[in-house]
Amino acid sequence: MILLGLISSLAGCQVLEGATGNSDAFQPSANPVTVDTVTRNDRMAAIAREQHPRILATYGGEYSDRKLERMVARVVGTLTLDPENPNQTYQITILNSPNINAFALPGGYLYVTRGLLALANDSAELAAVLAHEMAHVTANHGIQRQQKEAEEVLASQVVNDVLGSDPAARVALVRGKLRLAQFSRNQELEADAIGIRAIARAGYDPFASARFLQSMASYSASRNVTGAVDENLDFLASHPTAPQRIELALRHARQYGAPGTGTRDRDQFLEGLDGMLFGDTPEEGFVRGLTFMHPKLGVAFSVPEGFVIDNTAAAVTAAGPGDVAIRFDGVSIDRRVSLADYVRSGWVAGLDTSSIRQTTINGNEAVSARASAEGWQFDVTVIRAAGEVYRLLTAAPAASTALDAIASQVGSSFRTLTAAEKASLRPLRVRVVTVRAGQTVATLAAQMQGVDRKMDMFRLINAMSSGATVSAGSKVKIITDR
């Protein structure tokens, strides 16, 4: 976590003046200016501070990388030198999540995911995102400031409604309901305008906002290509992206100069990004193309061509042609309970008990069954492997003829990993490479590891249009496990 406090230039001059002839004066301050000291009596900040642990639990905790933190801190530090908001302090946390999101809580708490950092391509784009969120803080969710008491009630209601009070249910509750930056469209546009003005004043390229909005639009269009992570935790869930919004961002940017105005600071941004974790963590398992592999649980399964896997903390899901869907998760049951009895225990709606069949899948005890409900048909396969129980559910419309073949293919693909396979699985990382003479988009994309549709992913993370090419000496991002 990066703490950024603001100290006035006058106070700085006084400290230096008093210290010139006295070495004892060069001592740490007994009352340093930090976010905690500035917001100590701020009730809004206190509310946000209470919710901080829940935010971390929802988004996989804090992502620690000193090089990356310094890069983000430099951008935030530049933005905080804003003469229009000299007293506002911020605390920013990089979240260990592949979801693409950034948001703010009252009191100056800023959050950005490593997924969003991977999509950005220079410091100006990151500054545009953060300045937008800062605008919500400094404008108090709009230009019209309400009384502090009314804001506290509103913020408390939002936090309680969204996050609840039951620690055991908080992550499940947040998924699908989290709206930490739930502002109206007008407030979003106001934050865009304020943010663009702020980055231009800080010396950044004001056109960065429109560029990143375009990247977000490309990301949205690619969800069916790259595999969407939990979209309820994504920026798009609370930040509308549309061509009109991009055009408005361009119009605001033109007020501060022509394209090319301001700095992008691409090299320092990429230097900080190099080596950052990409995608899933070992604790949640890895998606490698059409296969899900979990090194800690030691299991794997695959889905057919045309399916896209989505890995979340709660379950692994996959969607494919013909509205066929697959869900994989684990469950704790007493070892003395047979798999057949577990299937009969009432958790499967519309179960056809006559369809229950005992079998083995790659040496593992298993039971399969069929069910139907509300226009859908289901194949339910429960597998016991290494003492743990896993569930594979395949769903298809009642009229579909694809269920048998798909469920059989997915079920038979389940297997336990060898010790060598578990040891060889490594997380993916963003690597920054310099383009050499003769290299092309195709040859660079071919270096990518662990991702499906490599060309599409390469263009997406490097914000390249379908016809764009690379030039020798330039730097690009690739995804690899090396």
Side-chain angles (χ1 to χ4, degrees), residues 293 295 298 300 415-426:
M293 311 174 80
R415 63 186 180 88
T416 55
L417 299 173
T418 66
E421 285 177 317
K422 289 188 285 186
S424 67
L425 278 173
R426 293 174 294 187

Side-chain angles (χ1 to χ4, degrees), residues 2 37 43 48 53 98 101 120 141 149 151 173 223 237 251 275 290 301 310 331 341 356 379 404 426 450:
I2 306 155
T37 59
R43 286 173 293 178
N101 209 349
H141 313 304
E149 291 77 9
E151 290 178 327
L173 179 63
R223 283 182 185 273
R251 191 182 307 169
L290 297 173
F301 73 93
D310 177 14
V331 63
D341 285 344
I356 297 176
D379 179 275
D404 285 345
R426 293 174 294 187

Side-chain angles (χ1 to χ4, degrees), residues 283-302:
E283 288 70 28
E284 293 189 350
F286 301 130
V287 176
R288 296 291 186 263
L290 297 173
T291 300
F292 172 76
M293 311 174 80
H294 202 301
K296 293 188 178 297
L297 298 178
V299 297
F301 73 93
S302 300

Side-chain angles (χ1 to χ4, degrees), residues 262-385:
T263 180
R264 293 191 178 187
D265 193 22
R266 177 174 166 81
D267 286 347
Q268 288 197 62
F269 176 83
L270 292 178
E271 181 182 349
L273 202 66
D274 189 31
M276 184 186 72
L277 189 67
F278 182 88
D280 303 318
T281 65
E283 288 70 28
E284 293 189 350
F286 301 130
V287 176
R288 296 291 186 263
L290 297 173
T291 300
F292 172 76
M293 311 174 80
H294 202 301
K296 293 188 178 297
L297 298 178
V299 297
F301 73 93
S302 300
V303 298
E305 287 285 346
F307 278 72
V308 176
I309 300 178
D310 177 14
N311 182 24
T312 71
V316 181
T317 59
D323 293 329
V324 179
I326 299 163
R327 177 186 170 93
F328 171 82
D329 62 10
V331 63
S332 296
I333 65 172
D334 192 310
R335 296 190 179 208
R336 294 169 295 183
V337 176
S338 72
L339 295 183
D341 285 344
Y342 171 65
V343 171
R344 294 189 190 97
S345 64
W347 61 275
V348 181
L351 175 68
D352 178 2
T353 56
S354 66
S355 69
I356 297 176
R357 297 286 184 273
Q358 293 186 338
T359 184
T360 58
I361 297 177
N362 293 318
N364 300 297
E365 176 192 359
V367 164
S368 65
R370 287 301 178 90
S372 59
E374 299 181 358
W376 289 86
Q377 53 180 325
F378 305 91
D379 179 275
V380 180
T381 301
V382 181
I383 308 164
R384 181 173 271 133

Side-chain angles (χ1 to χ4, degrees), residues 450-468:
V451 297
D452 198 16
R453 304 175 189 262
K454 296 181 180 182
M455 285 276 285
D456 293 324
M457 177 61 81
F458 180 83
R459 291 189 181 277
L460 177 64
I461 63 173
N462 288 289
M464 298 179 64
S465 63
S466 58

Side-chain angles (χ1 to χ4, degrees), residues 173-191:
L173 179 63
V174 168
R175 290 186 185 280
K177 293 186 177 180
L178 187 62
R179 296 295 184 268
L180 292 170
Q182 185 101 1
F183 305 111
S184 73
R185 177 171 176 80
N186 285 339
Q187 288 169 323
E188 287 295 342
L189 296 178
E190 287 173 339

Side-chain angles (χ1 to χ4, degrees), residues 431-449 451 454-455 457-459 461-462 464 468-480:
R431 294 295 181 188
V432 178
V433 299
T434 301
V435 180
R436 300 192 303 271
Q439 287 187 312
T440 65
V441 169
T443 60
L444 288 163
Q447 297 181 27
M448 306 255 280
Q449 300 292 328
V451 297
K454 296 181 180 182
M455 285 276 285
M457 177 61 81
F458 180 83
R459 291 189 181 277
I461 63 173
N462 288 289
M464 298 179 64
T469 59
V470 294
S471 55
S474 63
K475 294 180 179 180
V476 295
K477 296 177 287 184
I478 64 170
I479 307 302
T480 178

